[in-house]
Amino acid sequence: MDHLADPTASPEIENLTERREALEDVSQNCSANPTMGDIINHRFSRRSFMAGSLAVAAISTTVGPLAILTADEARANGVSSFDFKEIEAGVDETHHVAEGYDANILLRWGDKLFADSPDFDPMNQTAASQEKQFGYNNDYIGFIPLDGNPDHGLLVVNHEYTNAEIMFPNFTSIVKETKNGKEVEKVQLGEYTKELVDIEMAAHGGTIVEIRKVDGKWQPVLDGKYNRRITATTEMQLAGPVAGHERVKTPSDPTGKQVFGTINNCAGGVTAWGTYLMSEENFNGYFGGKIAEDHPEFAQLKRLGAPGGEYQWSKFYDRFDVSKEPTEANRFGWIVEVDVMDPNSVPKKRTAAGRFKHEGCESIVNKDGRVVLYSGDDSRFDYVYKFVTKAAFNPNDRAANMDILDDGTLYVAKFDADGTVEWMPLIHGEGPLTEANGFASQADVLINTRLAADALGATKMDRPEDIQPNPKTGKVYVMLTNNTNRTADQLDAANPRAENAFGHIIEITETDGDYASTKSTWDVLLKCGDPSVAEVGASFSTATTKNGWFGMPDNCAIDTDGRLWVSTDGNNQKATGRTDGIWAIDTEGDARGTSKLFFRVPVGAEMCGPSFNPTSDTFFVAVQHPGDAGLATFENPATRWPDFKDDMPVRPAVLAITKQGGGKIG
Ligand code: FEO
Ligand code: CA
Ligand code: CA
C-alpha cells in the first residue's frame, strides 16, 4: 500500500473523496444564532492534526496508563456488559471481527439481485446491468422480517453515492498541481459520457432483496418476488404539504407531484408498519449550473450548498442544471417512504418531515401511538430535528398507516446550558415563520426548513448524523461526527469542544418516556478521540482500552437488550491510526462510557449501516468506499477487498455477522 498518503513524501497526496467531503462540509449556516461562550474549552492540540504516520507516531508516544490496559484486563474489571473479546485497532487490507464470530459477505456491488441479472462485468458496465445488480456505496441497512421470521426477510440497503475514480476502468489520471506553493498530486477524472452518468444514476438509490438463513448462513433469494432496485430515475411522488406547490413544479412536471429518483441516500429507517425510509442527504452536489443571485430560490439553495457541482449529471440532464430548471432541486432533500411489500409501488417523498440534508430517519411508536421520527441535518453548524405524526399508528391495519407521515409537526432542537432541550415547532404563522419573513405557507416553511430553523434560533451542532431512539430506556442517541470549524468563541454546552476533530455523542432523555415531548433533557454521553492525549478532552471510561476509543461517530444501532453500537466515518491512518469500525458502548451504570472495538473495515473504507435482525443474533454491517485512500483509482485501489483478485475491483459490500454456534451478538 505504498500509495497511501505519506506526509514525509513529496509531493503531497490529495485523496479525491477527502477533497469532495471538504467541499461538502463548508458550512452554509450564516444565521446569527447565539453560541453560549466558553463553557468548556478543551482545545485540541495542533500536533494531532499532522497527517499520516507522523500523527500515528505522535499518538503512540503520548500513550498514558489508560491506553495500555489490555482488553483482557478491562474485562477483568467486569465493567463492560459486552463479553466479546475486543479486537486490535489498526489499518490493513481486510476486515476483522471479534473472535468466535463469522463476518460473511452477503452482497457486493454488482452482485445479482434477480434471476435474470447479468454477471458483474467491471470492464463492461452498463446502466441496464447495474439496474439489476446491487448498487454502489451501501450505507443504511434495514431488515424487515417476512411472517415475523428473524431468519427470513427483506434487506433494504441505501446506495449513497458513487466513486467514479475507483468504479470505472481507464477513467483517471494522476496529475500534479501547485497549491499554496506546495506540489500536490491528485487523481483527475476523465471526460464523462452520458453512458457513465447513466451507470452512476443506476448505482444510486436503494436495494430491496429477500434474504434467508440457510444452514446457518445468510444468502439472497434471487427469485424473491419483492426484490427491487430503486435508482436516481425511479418514478416517485411528492406527498404531504409541499405536493403540488408552485415551487416544486418544473417544465416536465406541471403537477408538482411527480419526481424521478432519489439521491445520496445516507442513513434511513424502517417503520413499525414495515416500510423503508430513505434519507436524501447531500443532494446539492448533483446539481450544476448557476442561478442568479436575485432568483427567488437563490437564498435557500445557497443555504443548502446547491448547486454543488460535484457530479456531471447536469451536462446530460437539464433537470440537474439549476439555470434551466431552478425548482428541480426543491424536489430533493426529503425523506422517501417505500412500501416494500409491493415492488411496483411508487415511493413517496414525505415533505411534512422537512427538507434538509437528512442523514437518517429512525422512528419509534410513542406510548400514545403517535410516530416520532428523528433526523439530523449533516452539515457543520446545522440542526437536530424530530417529526411527530398527528395520527396514531394502527397495529391492526397496515393500510391505515401508509400515509400517516404526511401529517404532523416538525420540531427543531434548542439545547440549553441547563440540560434541557426545547423542541421548537416549525409551523407556518407561528413566531417568526410569517409571510413577512418569507414564509407564505407551510410549504414554504418545509421547502426552506433550514431558513425556518435559523429563524427559530435552533442550536448549531457539530454535524448531526444518525439519531437513534432506544425503545428500552426512553433515551435517544445523537451522533455528532466532528466540526473542525468550530472556534473557541462558538462553543456552547452541547458542542463543548473547539476544532472538534473527533465528534461526540449526546444522550437525550425524553420526559416520562414521551418521545413526542416538547421539553426533554440532555447530557453528553461521550466526547470522542484518544483519551490518552489530554488536549483531546475525550471522556471514555477508564476501562476503555487503547482499542476501545474512536472518533467520528456516524451511524448507530440498538440491540434487543437496549445496548448501543456505534459505527464511524473518518478514522483512518491519518487521523487516528485505525480504520473505521463498530464499537459497543455501555450507557448505563458504572460501565457508562466504556467502549469496545467489535469489528473494523479494510483500509479506505467507512463503516455504515449497522442493523440487527429482531433476535439480535445477526448483525448486518455495510463497508462503504473500501480501498479509497491516497491516490486510489480503479486500477490501483488501496485494497482489492473483498475478492482479492487482480481482475476484480475493490467492492463495497454488506456483511452478515453471526456468532459461531449461534446466540446473541455481543
Ligand atoms: Fe452520508 Fe452524513 O454521512
Ligand atoms: Ca453517514
Ligand atoms: Ca441507525
Side-chain angles (χ1 to χ4, degrees):
M1 290 184 283
D2 52 359
H3 51 284
L4 292 184
D6 175 3
T8 60
S10 187
E12 236 170 63
I13 283 169
E14 189 178 83
N15 175 266
L16 195 56
T17 301
E18 285 166 14
R19 190 168 75 228
R20 207 179 279 139
E21 281 175 1
L23 284 173
E24 193 53 60
D25 285 341
V26 174
S27 170
Q28 308 294 336
N29 189 347
C30 303
S31 71
N33 291 357
T35 53
M36 277 170 281
D38 300 17
I39 292 160
I40 302 169
N41 188 4
H42 280 305
R43 293 299 300 265
F44 174 56
S45 162
R46 278 278 160 206
R47 163 185 67 208
S48 304
F49 279 116
M50 289 186 293
S53 53
L54 284 180
V56 178
I59 288 166
S60 55
T61 55
T62 54
V63 164
L66 165 63
I68 56 173
L69 265 185
T70 67
D72 280 326
E73 283 165 340
R75 275 206 318 287
N77 294 337
V79 276
S80 174
S81 72
F82 299 89
D83 65 6
F84 65 86
K85 187 172 176 207
E86 182 172 60
I87 63 170
E88 289 282 323
V91 181
D92 65 21
E93 287 183 276
T94 194
H95 66 273
H96 299 268
V97 68
E99 195 179 293
Y101 290 84
D102 292 317
N104 291 312
I105 307 287
L106 178 59
L107 286 160
R108 299 160 297 186
W109 166 47
D111 276 352
K112 296 178 182 199
L113 294 172
F114 305 91
D116 64 348
S117 296
D119 284 331
F120 182 51
D121 183 356
M123 301 305 289
N124 299 289
Q125 300 171 49
T126 65
S129 56
Q130 179 64 82
E131 277 172 6
K132 295 201 161 198
Q133 297 164 339
F134 196 60
Y136 208 78
N137 272 345
N138 31 229
D139 198 306
Y140 174 77
I141 304 173
F143 179 81
I144 301 171
L146 289 171
D147 302 322
N149 186 347
D151 293 337
H152 180 205
L154 302 180
L155 198 73
V156 297
V157 184
N158 283 352
H159 300 294
E160 186 184 20
Y161 70 105
T162 47
N163 290 80
E165 69 279 15
I166 46 179
M167 194 175 162
F168 298 135
N170 307 313
F171 188 55
T172 55
S173 51
I174 307 291
V175 297
K176 286 181 186 175
E177 65 180 37
T178 304
K179 231 182 187 175
N180 302 327
K182 202 168 173 7
E183 199 168 54
V184 176
E185 208 172 3
K186 63 176 194 179
V187 174
Q188 185 156 294
L189 300 182
E191 262 315 296
Y192 265 92
T193 60
K194 182 171 176 294
E195 285 67 32
L196 288 180
V197 164
D198 288 345
I199 296 168
E200 287 188 339
M201 290 175 129
H204 277 73
T207 287
I208 297 158
V209 60
E210 187 176 333
I211 58 168
R212 70 176 346 137
K213 217 175 184 181
V214 181
D215 298 331
K217 211 177 158 186
W218 287 91
Q219 55 188 54
V221 179
L222 295 191
D223 54 3
K225 64 180 175 189
Y226 304 113
N227 293 5
R228 178 176 189 183
R229 270 304 318 283
I230 288 166
T231 73
T233 58
T234 301
E235 185 187 351
M236 309 204 164
Q237 271 175 18
L238 280 170
V242 170
H245 192 273
E246 282 304 318
R247 293 180 59 198
V248 289
K249 291 179 180 171
T250 67
S252 56
D253 174 30
T255 70
K257 290 182 177 170
Q258 185 193 48
V259 191
F260 289 92
T262 182
I263 43 179
N264 212 269
N265 306 92
C266 194
V270 164
T271 63
W273 50 101
T275 57
Y276 165 30
L277 300 180
M278 311 170 72
S279 293
E280 296 185 324
E281 196 193 23
N282 297 313
F283 65 95
N284 57 308
Y286 299 80
F287 290 86
K290 269 208 163 86
I291 184 161
E293 293 200 12
D294 59 357
H295 192 284
E297 300 297 344
F298 175 82
Q300 62 90 8
L301 288 177
K302 180 163 191 277
R303 181 68 178 79
L304 286 157
E310 289 155 40
Y311 284 76
Q312 303 298 316
W313 297 8
S314 61
K315 274 193 185 166
F316 304 97
Y317 293 97
D318 284 354
R319 69 185 179 114
F320 288 106
D321 185 333
V322 293
S323 63
K324 293 175 178 153
E325 301 198 12
T327 51
E328 178 72 1
N330 292 352
R331 293 137 63 88
F332 291 84
W334 305 106
I335 285 168
V336 183
E337 183 175 19
V338 187
D339 179 3
V340 296
M341 301 312 287
D342 174 5
N344 298 311
S345 64
V346 177
K348 292 183 177 167
K349 298 200 175 189
R350 300 298 184 187
T351 63
R355 172 169 172 263
F356 47 90
K357 296 188 184 183
H358 288 278
E359 164 74 22
C361 42
E362 298 277 10
S363 60
I364 191 160
V365 177
N366 198 32
K367 54 188 177 185
D368 60 11
R370 288 181 294 166
V371 177
V372 182
L373 191 152
Y374 294 88
S375 195
D377 184 354
D378 182 7
S379 288
R380 288 169 174 162
F381 303 107
D382 258 294
Y383 308 131
V384 164
Y385 296 84
K386 77 176 173 187
F387 174 75
V388 182
T389 59
K390 187 171 178 200
F393 164 65
N394 184 340
N396 304 313
D397 181 3
R398 184 171 187 264
N401 303 309
M402 293 310 282
D403 290 316
I404 64 174
L405 294 182
D406 280 344
D407 195 0
T409 305
L410 179 65
Y411 299 88
V412 66
K414 185 157 165 272
F415 292 86
D416 288 322
D418 65 359
T420 58
V421 52
E422 190 188 339
W423 294 98
M424 303 181 293
L426 281 78
I427 298 174
H428 167 64
E430 289 194 8
L433 306 182
T434 59
E435 183 154 18
N437 287 332
F439 304 100
S441 64
Q442 186 62 16
D444 282 338
V445 169
L446 294 168
I447 295 170
N448 299 352
T449 298
R450 279 187 169 184
L451 297 175
D454 291 347
L456 291 173
T459 304
K460 297 173 166 187
M461 308 298 287
D462 287 345
R463 289 188 57 196
E465 301 261 15
D466 202 4
I467 303 175
Q468 194 83 35
N470 185 337
K472 292 258 181 200
T473 61
K475 294 189 172 163
V476 180
Y477 294 92
V478 183
M479 304 298 118
L480 296 155
T481 197
N482 64 65
N483 181 359
T484 48
N485 287 3
R486 188 176 292 274
T487 58
D489 59 4
Q490 292 174 313
L491 299 184
D492 60 45
N495 300 278
R497 286 188 293 181
E499 298 168 30
N500 181 7
F502 300 116
H504 56 290
I505 298 174
I506 284 181
E507 178 184 69
I508 294 172
T509 304
E510 295 286 27
T511 308
D512 300 325
D514 176 10
Y515 294 92
S517 168
T518 54
K519 203 152 202 160
S520 319
T521 57
W522 69 272
D523 201 357
V524 174
L525 171 69
L526 268 182
K527 283 176 274 177
C528 305
D530 185 348
S532 72
V533 181
E535 298 94 322
V536 170
S539 65
F540 291 94
S541 81
T542 53
T544 303
T545 75
K546 66 179 166 54
N547 304 307
W549 66 266
F550 59 85
M552 304 87 165
D554 188 343
N555 299 140
C556 58
I558 304 283
D559 66 21
T560 44
D561 293 326
R563 300 182 305 175
L564 177 65
W565 301 72
V566 169
S567 69
T568 61
D569 170 18
N571 292 274
N572 54 47
Q573 65 283 0
K574 273 198 208 174
T576 61
R578 55 195 55 203
T579 60
D580 285 319
I582 292 181
W583 279 263
I585 299 156
D586 276 290
T587 57
E588 305 296 323
D590 290 345
R592 184 172 164 91
T594 301
S595 167
K596 280 176 71 176
L597 176 55
F598 177 70
F599 178 90
R600 67 177 226 225
V601 295
V603 62
E606 165 183 348
M607 185 86 259
C608 297
S611 190
F612 291 95
N613 72 336
T615 40
S616 282
D617 56 9
T618 299
F619 199 12
F620 298 103
V621 302
V623 174
Q624 195 189 64
H625 61 79
D628 181 17
L631 296 176
T633 60
F634 179 92
E635 287 76 18
N636 194 19
T639 173
R640 287 197 184 272
W641 187 89
D643 304 297
F644 296 107
K645 288 182 183 155
D646 288 344
D647 61 352
M648 198 50 85
V650 60
R651 296 206 265 176
V654 165
L655 292 83
I657 301 175
T658 50
K659 198 172 186 175
Q660 290 161 6
K664 272 189 193 171
I665 306 289

